[in-house]
C-alpha cells in the first residue's frame, strides 16, 4: 500500500515516509544537529557518528527523529541514506536540492521542508567540529 | 473494506433520493425560469415550489429566500450587500461591523476587504477556550456606528454552537434604544448557519436573525447551491448585478436542478433531523469516550456540551496532522486536520489559534465529522487502527519536542 503516491507526493516520498530509514538516536554521537522549521514550527534532530577511515573523517552512522509532515519525515530519512559513508567534506556540500532530487521532487509548497534535513546535517557536522 | 468517510463538515454525498428530484430538470424540464413560454413557466413553477419548501422550513416568507451558489456566496452577499445597501441609502462612513475570530474565511476575508478597500471598522471578537462567543462582550463592542453583526451558528472545526438567541436579544435592545433616540442607522444580525443546517433548528424567528447563510452540499444536497435568508425590509444591495433575479438581490439564471436538489435535501434533513442528530450524537459520544482510553494525551476541542452532534475534534499530543491524515487514509479512513503543514498556506487553523492553543498542539489536530451513514463498526475500526498510527508517529518524533 505504501508503494503508491499520495496526493501531491510521489511514490518514493511516501515510501520513505511510511517506512523511514535510520530512525532513532546514536549512543554517544559524535555530533548532534537539531533544527526547527521557522515556517511551520516543526523540528528535526540528527545524530552522526564520525570515524577516521584512510585518514579521512567519514560519517559511519546517522540517525534521525522528526516532528513534522510527510515531506519532513521523508527528507529526514533520505538524507540519512545519502550521507552515510560520506566524508565530512562531501556531506558539508549536500544541499536541500540534493535531498529533494533524490526523492524525485517534492510538491512546491513542501520544498522548504527539505531545508530541515540539510540544515540539521550541517549543524551536526559543526557540532562535531566544535567538540573535536 | 469500503473507505470510511469521516469528513462531513467538508462536504456530504448527495442523497440518492435528492438526485432523483433533480434529474428531470437537466434534460427535460430545462427551461429558463425567466422565460414567458411554457418551458419557462414549468421551470418557474418548480423554482417557486422549492422556494416555498425552504421558506416553510425557515419559517419565513417566500420572498425572503434568495438562492445563491453556496455558503461562500451567501456570506459574501450578506456582508457586502448590507454594507453597500447602507452606503447607497446615504449612511455615512465609517460604519462598524462586529464578527468573531472563528468565522469561516468566507466571512473573515470579506470583512478584511471591507476594512481595507471601503474603510469599514471591524471588531473581531475573541472566544473562550471552548470556542464560545460571550454575548456580554459583544454588547460592549457595539458602538454608535455598528451596522452589522455576524456570528456563526456553529463552528466548522470544533463544532461549538454559539448563543444566537442571547446575541439576538442584545441586538434587539440596541435597536430599541436607537429607535427611542431617533437614530436612523439600522443594526442587522447575520449568521453563517452552514454547519448547523442538518442538525439544529433553522427557524429564523426563534433564532432572531435578520440574515442567514446555508449551503446545499453540507446537508446531502448538491454542491454549488446555497440560500441567503434576508428578512423583509433589510437594506441590502445586489453584489452580482444583471437581469434582476431573486428580487434583484442576486442576478443570474437560476440553477433550477441545483435549487430543486437543495430544497429536497433541506426537506429531508428537516424530516430526519431528530433521528439523525441523535444517531450521530451517540456515535460521537462513543468516540469521545473511547479515544482517550486507547490513546494517551488526547484532548477534546470545542465546547463539551454546546456542540454539533456530528463533530468530534481533538488535539493529539506529539504528532503532526498531515502525517496522521495520510496514515489514516492509507487505512481507508478520511478525516481532516487544522495542522499548519497540511494547509496550502502553511498557516495553522485560525480557529484553533483563537481558542488559545499553542502552535505545536495545533499540529496534532484531528477532526472527525460524522454523517447519517456512519456506523458504530466504522468507529470501532478507527479505534483499532488509530492507536498504532499514533504510536508509530510518536516514535518518529521520539521526545525531541
Ligand atoms: C461555516 C462555513 N461557512 C461557509 C462555508 C462555505 O460554503 P461553500 O462551500 O458552500 O461555499 C463552509 C464550508 O466549508 C463552512 O463550513
Ligand atoms: S514540516 Fe511542516 S510543512 Fe513540512
Amino acid at each position: 500500500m505504501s508503494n503508491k503516491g499520495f496526493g501531491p507526493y510521489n511514490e518514493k516520498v511516501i515510501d520513505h515516509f511510511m517506512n523511514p530509514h535510520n530512525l532513532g538516536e546514536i549512543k554517544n554521537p559524535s555530533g548532534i544537529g537539531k533544527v526547527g522549521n521557522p515556517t511551520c514550527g516543526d523540528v528535526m534532530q540528527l545524530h552522526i557518528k564520525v570515524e577516521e577511515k584512510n585518514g579521512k573523517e567519514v560519517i559511519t552512522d546517522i540517525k534521525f527523529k522528526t516532528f513534522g509532515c510527510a515531506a519532513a519525515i521523508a527528507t529526514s530519512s533520505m538524507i540519512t541514506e545519502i550521507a552515510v559513508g560520506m566524508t565530512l567534506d562531501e556531506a558539508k556540500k549536500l544541499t536541500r536540492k540534493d535531498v529533494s532530487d533524490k526523492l524525485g521532487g517534492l510538491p512546491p509548497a513542501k520544498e522548504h521542508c527539505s531545508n530541515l534535513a540539510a540544515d540539521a546535517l550541517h549543524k551536526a557536522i559543526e557540532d562535531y567540529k566544535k567538540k573535536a | 473494506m469500503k473507505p470510511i468517510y469521516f469528513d462531513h463538515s467538508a462536504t456530504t454525498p448527495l442523497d440518492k433520493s435528492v438526485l432523483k428530484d433533480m434529474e428531470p430538470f437537466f434534460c427535460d424540464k430545462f427551461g429558463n425560469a425567466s422565460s414567458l413560454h411554457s418551458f419557462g413557466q414549468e421551470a418557474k413553477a418548480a423554482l417557486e415550489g422549492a422556494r416555498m419548501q425552504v421558506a416553510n422550513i425557515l419559517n419565513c416568507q417566500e420572498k425572503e429566500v434568495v438562492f445563491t451558489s453556496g455558503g461562500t456566496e451567501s456570506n459574501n452577499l450578506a456582508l457586502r450587500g448590507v454594507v453597500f445597501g447602507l452606503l447607497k441609502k446615504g449612511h455615512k462612513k465609517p460604519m462598524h461591523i462586529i464578527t468573531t475570530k472563528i468565522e469561516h474565511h468566507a466571512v473573515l476575508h470579506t470583512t478584511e476587504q471591507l476594512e481595507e478597500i471601503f474603510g469599514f471598522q471591524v471588531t473581531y471578537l475573541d472566544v473562550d477556550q471552548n470556542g464560545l462567543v460571550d454575548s456580554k462582550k459583544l454588547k460592549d463592542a457595539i458602538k454608535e456606528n455598528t451596522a452589522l453583526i455576524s456570528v456563526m451558528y456553529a463552528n466548522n472545526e470544533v463544532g461549538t454552537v454559539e448563543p444566537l438567541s442571547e446575541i439576538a436579544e442584545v441586538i434587539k435592545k440596541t435597536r430599541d434604544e436607537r429607535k427611542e433616540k431617533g437614530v436612523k442607522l439600522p443594526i442587522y444580525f447575520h449568521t453563517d448557519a452552514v454547519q448547523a443546517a442538518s442538525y439544529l433548528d433553522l427557524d429564523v424567528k426563534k433564532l432572531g436573525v435578520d440574515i442567514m447563510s446555508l449551503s446545499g452540499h453540507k446537508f446531502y444536497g448538491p454542491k454549488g447551491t446555497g440560500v441567503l435568508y434576508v428578512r423583509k425590509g433589510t437594506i441590502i444591495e445586489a453584489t452580482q448585478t444583471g437581469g434582476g433575479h431573486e428580487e434583484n438581490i442576486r442576478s443570474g439564471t437560476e440553477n433550477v436542478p441545483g435549487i430543486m436538489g437543495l430544497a429536497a435535501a433541506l426537506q429531508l434533513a428537516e424530516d430526519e433531523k431528530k433521528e439523525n442528530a441523535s444517531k450521530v450524537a451517540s456515535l460521537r459520544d462513543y468516540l469521545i469516550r473511547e479515544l482517550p482510553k486507547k490513546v494517551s494525551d488526547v484532548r477534546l476541542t470545542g465546547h463539551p456540551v454546546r456542540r454539533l452532534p456530528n463533530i468530534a475534534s481533538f488535539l493529539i499530543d506529539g504528532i503532526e496532522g498531515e502525517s496522521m491524515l495520510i496514515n489514516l487514509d492509507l487505512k481507508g479512513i478520511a478525516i481532516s486536520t487544522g495542522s499548519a503543514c497540511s494547509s496550502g498556506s502553511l498557516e495553522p487553523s485560525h480557529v484553533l489559534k483563537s481558542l488559545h492553543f499553542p502552535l505545536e498542539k495545533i499540529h496534532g489536530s484531528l477532526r472527525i465529522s460524522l454523517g447519517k451513514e456512519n456506523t458504530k463498526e466504522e468507529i470501532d475500526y478507527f479505534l483499532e487502527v488509530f492507536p498504532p498510527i499514533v504510536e508509530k508517529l510518536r516514535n518518529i518524533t521520539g521526545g525531541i519536542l
Side-chain angles (χ1 to χ4, degrees):
Chain A
M1 221 168 181
S2 59
N3 60 355
K4 275 196 257 148
F6 186 100
Y9 296 122
N10 69 37
E11 256 184 72
K12 195 145 196 183
V13 174
I14 289 302
D15 198 34
H16 274 270
F17 164 61
M18 290 301 287
N19 307 294
H21 307 183
N22 301 309
L23 180 65
E25 293 182 322
I26 296 173
K27 255 194 199 157
N28 306 317
S30 317
I32 299 178
K34 188 169 168 182
V35 291
N37 185 336
T39 317
C40 56
D42 295 340
V43 187
M44 172 175 178
Q45 172 191 284
L46 273 186
H47 281 185
I48 55 172
K49 184 100 199 154
V50 180
E51 285 170 312
E52 286 255 339
K53 277 196 177 169
N54 307 324
K56 283 185 180 148
E57 292 169 307
V58 175
I59 299 178
T60 54
D61 195 10
I62 178 164
K63 288 265 182 331
F64 85 89
K65 283 190 169 180
T66 293
F67 177 67
C69 70
I73 293 169
T75 50
S76 305
S77 168
M78 184 47 95
I79 204 159
T80 65
E81 286 282 287
I82 307 175
V84 73
M86 277 188 167
T87 66
L88 288 192
D89 289 336
E90 289 167 333
K92 268 194 269 183
K93 288 190 206 122
L94 273 181
T95 65
R96 178 184 81 64
K97 196 168 174 304
D98 295 324
V99 183
S100 85
D101 286 353
K102 246 315 200 315
L103 281 168
L106 287 168
K110 294 290 183 170
E111 286 288 349
H112 73 98
C113 309
S114 49
N115 280 324
L116 273 186
D119 292 351
L121 180 63
H122 299 153
K123 246 190 153 165
I125 294 171
E126 268 172 44
D127 183 50
Y128 162 73
K129 292 272 185 199
K130 252 190 268 161
K131 285 185 194 159
Chain B
M1 182 165 170
K2 206 169 138 243
I4 297 173
Y5 188 73
F6 282 161
D7 199 14
H8 293 78
S9 297
T11 193
T12 56
L14 189 80
D15 193 285
K16 292 214 168 60
S17 74
V18 169
L19 180 62
K20 279 219 179 71
D21 290 325
M22 295 171 70
E23 259 164 358
F25 297 91
F26 287 103
C27 303
D28 298 334
K29 307 182 180 185
F30 62 87
N32 183 326
S34 301
S35 302
L36 273 181
H37 47 60
S38 58
F39 293 85
Q41 286 172 30
E42 186 177 45
K44 178 87 178 166
L47 178 65
E48 293 316 317
R51 198 185 306 281
M52 194 195 297
Q53 208 171 9
V54 172
N56 278 337
I57 293 167
L58 306 189
N59 187 22
C60 69
Q61 296 174 23
E62 285 147 53
K63 284 192 170 178
E64 295 174 321
V65 173
V66 178
F67 290 116
T68 69
S69 67
T72 299
E73 189 196 330
S74 290
N75 286 340
N76 270 263
L77 175 57
L79 301 172
R80 217 173 270 125
V82 161
V83 155
F84 286 3
L86 291 170
L87 289 176
K88 191 176 168 183
K89 287 272 179 205
H91 290 286
K92 292 282 173 291
K93 283 205 277 186
M95 277 179 271
H96 178 233
I97 299 170
I98 300 173
T99 186
T100 81
K101 289 188 176 163
I102 61 164
E103 299 298 313
H104 191 269
H105 281 139
V107 167
L108 293 177
H109 291 164
T110 305
T111 54
E112 278 162 22
Q113 203 191 47
L114 291 172
E115 277 181 286
E116 279 169 28
I117 303 180
F118 298 96
F120 277 76
Q121 300 169 350
V122 182
T123 299
Y124 298 92
L125 289 175
D126 269 320
V127 293
D128 70 11
Q129 195 157 30
N130 293 330
L132 212 56
V133 175
D134 183 344
S135 58
K136 283 191 206 75
K137 277 196 193 141
L138 183 137
K139 181 169 185 274
D140 294 341
I142 296 177
K143 305 195 281 187
E144 257 174 24
N145 61 341
T146 306
L148 180 60
I149 294 176
S150 180
V151 177
M152 69 199 322
Y153 196 164
N155 182 266
N156 46 308
E157 290 190 38
V158 295
T160 301
V161 178
E162 300 299 344
L164 293 195
S165 315
E166 264 177 42
I167 295 169
E169 272 302 304
V170 168
I171 294 170
K172 188 174 171 291
K173 275 205 189 107
T174 308
R175 204 172 274 152
D176 294 346
E177 281 165 22
R178 283 187 186 177
K179 209 178 220 167
E180 258 172 45
K181 287 190 206 149
V183 177
K184 287 261 158 54
L185 184 69
I187 180 162
Y188 293 129
F189 184 16
H190 165 253
T191 191
D192 173 347
V194 165
Q195 291 293 338
S198 287
Y199 302 110
L200 306 181
D201 192 350
L202 292 181
D203 182 329
V204 292
K205 303 265 166 23
K206 278 196 213 153
L207 294 173
V209 296
D210 302 304
I211 316 168
M212 181 167 82
S213 306
L214 298 177
S215 170
H217 73 104
K218 307 286 186 181
F219 47 83
Y220 299 85
K223 292 173 181 59
T225 64
V227 166
L228 189 66
Y229 157 74
V230 183
R231 191 172 53 78
K232 199 173 142 201
T234 302
I235 296 170
I236 188 165
E237 184 71 12
T239 54
Q240 174 165 299
T241 49
H245 307 76
E246 301 293 300
E247 298 293 311
N248 209 15
I249 293 174
R250 199 270 185 185
S251 282
T253 298
E254 296 86 350
N255 170 10
V256 178
I259 291 167
M260 296 310 287
L262 176 138
L266 193 62
Q267 186 67 58
L268 192 65
E270 195 62 22
D271 296 344
E272 298 178 341
K273 195 166 264 176
K274 274 216 179 85
E275 185 190 331
N276 288 343
S278 84
K279 185 192 163 191
V280 295
S282 74
L283 292 179
R284 173 203 65 182
D285 293 342
Y286 175 63
L287 174 61
I288 291 175
R289 214 169 43 239
E290 292 301 313
L291 188 60
K293 294 185 195 161
K294 312 245 171 182
V295 173
S296 63
D297 302 305
V298 174
R299 71 168 288 172
L300 185 72
T301 58
H303 198 281
V305 187
R306 286 190 62 97
R307 63 186 302 133
L308 283 173
N310 69 320
I311 296 188
S313 52
F314 306 94
L315 297 177
I316 321 272
D317 268 10
I319 65 173
E320 188 283 313
E322 188 204 73
S323 299
M324 171 175 72
L325 184 151
I326 296 176
N327 272 279
L328 279 168
D329 200 75
L330 292 172
K331 291 279 182 200
I333 303 175
I335 53 92
S336 77
T337 173
S339 158
C341 305
S342 72
S343 81
S345 59
L346 297 174
E347 279 291 319
S349 145
H350 68 281
V351 174
L352 294 170
K353 266 202 315 200
S354 303
L355 266 54
H356 315 286
F357 294 116
L359 198 66
E360 70 274 9
K361 297 263 182 207
I362 298 174
H363 264 85
S365 98
L366 162 69
R367 179 187 70 181
I368 292 187
S369 48
L370 301 168
K372 60 182 179 183
E373 73 284 6
N374 287 132
T375 62
K376 177 162 178 294
E377 287 68 37
E378 291 176 331
I379 308 267
D380 282 330
Y381 176 70
F382 168 80
L383 288 167
E384 182 190 317
V385 302
F386 189 53
I389 290 173
V390 173
E391 194 181 335
K392 178 186 161 188
L393 291 174
R394 282 184 177 160
N395 188 37
I396 293 177
T397 302
I400 59 168
L401 285 180

